[in-house]
Amino acid sequence: MWNDAPWEPRQWQREALPQAIASLRSGKRPIISAIMGAGKSVLIAELVFQALQKLHPDYKVVVVAPRQALIRQLASTISFRCGVENVGVYYADEKDLTKPVVITTFVSAPIISRSINVAMLVGDEVHGTEADHFKCCYEQLNPACAIGFTATPYRSNEEETLSLWEEVIYRYSAADALHDGVIVPWQLHHWDGTGTSNTDEVCQRIISKMDGPGVVSALNIEDAESYAKFLNENGIRSSAIHSKMNRKKREQLLKLLENGTLKCLVHVSLLAEGVDMPWLRWICLRRPVGARVRFVQEVGRVLRAHPGKDIAHIIDPHDLFGMHCLSNPERLGEALTREEKEYEEELVKLTSDENREEIRKMPPAKAFAVVDSYVANLLSVMRGANICDPPKKWVEGNWRGGTPTEKQLSTIEKCRWSSRYLPKEVREPFKMLLDRAKEYNRGTVNDLLTILFGLAKASGTARKSKTHYFLPRIRYPKPNFPIQQMLFVMEKN
């Protein structure tokens, strides 16, 4: 395997390929879960190449993905490994079913099912395969074997599942990717509570301090154009980007962003799936996102490693990291409800959802004191590493406000022993925070408890050096300035 491949595979790709082949031979429908930027397309290309070596001339390998941009990327990568003479695409005006490998969209797949025999079906971004028309297409394609790839092997609602697929056979998590340098560490930026809570103004002030290219999310096309105008009026070189622009115009704007002519683009669904922008330095989550799949897909785009990029900056005015995280429980093998199916039908439409009217208004930003923000940063990284549990169902209202309960404070004392598993440069400041727990709000104390619970649960995997215990495979965020200074600022306020 990988003989004469035009690229040197990463270690995780070497490990995953034989497991994928073995699972397919056993008759299972497996999923490989790998975070965005890990190189799923390279592994897909090698898997397709291996299948071609024994492919019967009357059968084809079909690769499906949700968006045309992703089809073009996959076609380029697979052609590079398998040869352009072996790869055809079927979507829009390009309809080639003569090649042994056919790459198509979820929407076009039902059409080709009437014309070809399928030896192997490969699905990319398979969290979008729950639509009725794709499931019917799967039955019509009747592939001899099938495998799925995604960064998010679950649905946006924790009760939803991916019923076409049976098991996740390999996982390449955010913690793995951080350890290997495939993605970079991140820092969350919150509103500090000064001035207005208007989200547009809060975001504008933080964006003005960002270096390098970035993107800002919007509710719809009208909102994207309006906010881009607002940013320009405040000295930030910006443009909206959306589906009403032709492909050439969108590509032109991306180049202007990459070369620094523009500082940011305001988008509606640019980062949802299949966009490769590793040079992004920051994103602004201005649009509240309720769907955890969309959240992970968007955030994952800015985390991709790139030369000269040491950290990704994430502006989070609505505390979306308190609602979602980069690691979520997998949900496979069960059927969806009617409402969930309707959601999936919406997801895989070729037309964008950018023009749908939003019944909600932009909510105000959530205030975070400097200690609150640091603890939220620490918790987000530990959740990404699967040390801490993901957030529970979102609770409306200001539950994070108010003073901590006596039960919370007593539990802090009972569980503070688990802080020994933090590295020294983080452990000592963290203990100082625990000493002042009664002075924080209820939400921050809850975050501290979540960290302690996670450390206690993970303590069985911790290793011991001569000086302390520590958990491997994670880069912990450090305070921007000494904890003593944090606490002094808190006292003044």
Side-chain angles (χ1 to χ4, degrees):
M1 298 178 189
W2 301 101
N3 294 333
D4 302 320
W7 39 58
E8 181 65 26
R10 292 170 173 160
Q11 182 60 32
W12 82 267
Q13 295 165 332
R14 287 187 180 276
E15 295 172 356
L17 181 60
Q19 293 185 38
I21 293 174
S23 182
L24 289 169
R25 285 175 175 170
S26 71
K28 295 180 179 178
R29 297 191 302 275
I31 279 181
I32 290 178
S33 171
I35 192 168
M36 287 72 64
K40 293 192 297 292
S41 62
V42 170
L43 180 55
I44 289 173
E46 185 63 27
L47 183 62
V48 170
F49 177 81
Q50 296 296 328
L52 282 180
Q53 307 313 301
K54 299 181 179 181
L55 187 67
H56 189 281
D58 293 336
Y59 283 78
K60 299 185 184 296
V61 174
V62 175
V63 181
V64 294
R67 293 174 182 256
Q68 294 184 14
L70 190 53
I71 296 301
R72 291 190 288 269
Q73 292 176 21
L74 286 168
S76 175
T77 304
I78 295 173
S79 295
F80 193 53
R81 178 60 172 130
C82 301
V84 293
E85 69 279 5
N86 292 315
V87 180
V89 297
Y90 192 98
Y91 71 98
D93 295 329
E94 300 185 61
K95 295 179 171 59
D96 184 0
L97 295 178
T98 64
K99 308 292 177 58
V101 179
V102 178
I103 308 174
T104 187
T105 63
F106 291 168
V107 173
S108 297
I111 301 172
I112 69 171
S113 67
R114 298 188 290 267
S115 307
I116 60 174
N117 298 315
V118 182
M120 182 172 73
L121 177 65
V122 181
D124 196 9
E125 306 288 6
V126 295
H127 51 270
T129 57
E130 284 299 301
D132 276 341
H133 67 260
F134 181 85
K135 295 173 79 171
C136 291
C137 158
Y138 178 89
E139 295 177 0
Q140 294 168 9
L141 285 172
N142 191 29
C145 60
I147 185 170
F149 292 78
T150 182
T152 50
Y154 44 80
R155 300 301 309 125
S156 288
N157 185 304
E158 66 182 31
E159 302 301 326
E160 299 175 359
T161 63
L162 298 175
S163 61
L164 283 177
W165 312 98
E166 294 178 316
E167 64 175 345
V168 177
I169 58 167
Y170 193 92
R171 300 165 183 84
Y172 189 69
S173 68
D176 298 325
L178 270 171
H179 180 269
D180 295 343
V182 172
I183 64 174
V184 297
W186 60 90
Q187 180 179 349
L188 304 182
H189 296 264
H190 302 102
W191 174 46
D192 63 7
T194 61
T196 176
S197 64
N198 179 276
T199 295
D200 287 355
E201 296 185 30
V202 167
C203 292
Q204 177 265 317
R205 290 200 303 271
I206 302 177
I207 289 169
S208 66
K209 301 175 184 177
M210 294 289 113
D211 294 323
V215 292
V216 185
S217 58
L219 298 172
N220 50 41
I221 291 177
E222 181 181 358
D223 181 51
E225 293 179 339
S226 174
Y227 195 60
K229 180 181 178 182
F230 173 78
L231 292 177
N232 279 305
E233 290 172 348
N234 284 275
I236 300 172
R237 302 182 308 277
S238 309
S239 173
I241 184 169
H242 50 71
S243 61
K244 284 188 176 180
M245 300 173 176
N246 59 39
R247 176 181 167 188
K248 183 177 180 181
K249 175 65 174 177
R250 294 196 299 268
E251 291 177 348
Q252 184 180 56
L253 288 172
L254 289 173
K255 288 180 179 178
L256 292 176
L257 180 66
E258 185 177 7
N259 66 28
T261 303
L262 293 173
K263 180 169 183 175
C264 74
L265 293 175
V266 185
H267 74 100
V268 181
S269 57
L270 176 66
L271 302 185
E273 288 163 346
V275 178
D276 190 19
M277 302 166 67
W279 37 265
L280 280 180
R281 292 302 196 270
W282 58 271
I283 62 171
C284 178
L285 303 174
R286 173 177 165 270
R287 168 182 175 165
V289 175
R292 58 180 177 166
V293 167
R294 179 164 184 154
F295 170 83
V296 173
Q297 293 285 332
E298 288 196 10
V299 170
R301 306 300 166 190
V302 78
L303 299 182
R304 295 184 180 190
H306 191 69
K309 179 179 174 181
D310 299 320
I311 193 168
H313 296 275
I314 302 172
I315 303 171
D316 187 12
H318 305 298
D319 187 28
L320 296 184
F321 269 86
M323 179 180 180
H324 307 292
C325 71
L326 294 179
S327 298
N328 290 282
E330 295 148 4
R331 297 280 291 165
L332 307 179
E334 300 173 18
L336 299 184
T337 65
R338 178 178 58 82
E339 291 79 8
E340 293 161 356
K341 291 177 182 177
E342 290 174 353
Y343 173 83
E344 281 301 327
E345 294 287 351
E346 190 69 27
L347 178 67
V348 298
K349 285 181 180 177
L350 279 179
T351 56
S352 174
D353 67 348
E354 294 177 349
N355 289 307
R356 288 189 300 169
E357 291 187 6
E358 296 286 344
I359 59 174
R360 64 175 182 267
K361 295 180 180 179
M362 184 69 72
K366 296 181 182 295
F368 276 72
V370 64
V371 169
D372 305 332
S373 185
Y374 170 69
V375 174
N377 267 283
L378 179 59
L379 179 56
S380 75
V381 172
M382 294 179 70
R383 279 175 166 158
N386 289 319
I387 293 176
C388 295
D389 290 338
K392 293 181 171 59
K393 288 185 177 180
W394 188 248
V395 180
E396 295 292 339
N398 187 28
W399 71 270
R400 296 182 63 90
T403 58
T405 66
E406 288 299 323
K407 183 177 180 179
Q408 283 182 310
L409 296 175
S410 63
T411 307
I412 287 274
E413 293 305 312
K414 291 177 183 177
C415 297
R416 65 183 298 143
W417 62 269
S418 65
S419 62
R420 75 178 70 169
Y421 296 105
L422 291 168
K424 184 175 180 180
E425 65 273 15
V426 178
R427 182 172 72 246
E428 295 308 316
F430 186 76
K431 286 182 177 179
M432 294 178 66
L433 292 177
L434 296 179
D435 292 338
R436 305 285 291 268
K438 66 180 180 181
E439 300 175 29
Y440 311 146
N441 64 46
R442 188 177 303 169
T444 296
V445 173
N446 185 75
D447 291 346
L448 290 171
L449 285 169
T450 303
I451 292 171
L452 290 172
F453 292 158
L455 290 169
K457 185 177 179 180
S459 61
T461 64
R463 294 183 289 124
K464 185 179 182 181
S465 70
K466 292 181 180 180
T467 57
H468 65 279
Y469 296 86
F470 63 96
L471 294 164
R473 304 184 71 82
I474 182 173
R475 298 182 191 179
Y476 293 91
K478 299 176 183 177
N480 289 335
F481 46 87
I483 288 291
Q484 291 92 333
Q485 187 177 347
M486 279 189 183
L487 299 177
F488 176 71
V489 170
M490 187 178 69
E491 286 178 350
K492 287 182 64 177
N493 294 333

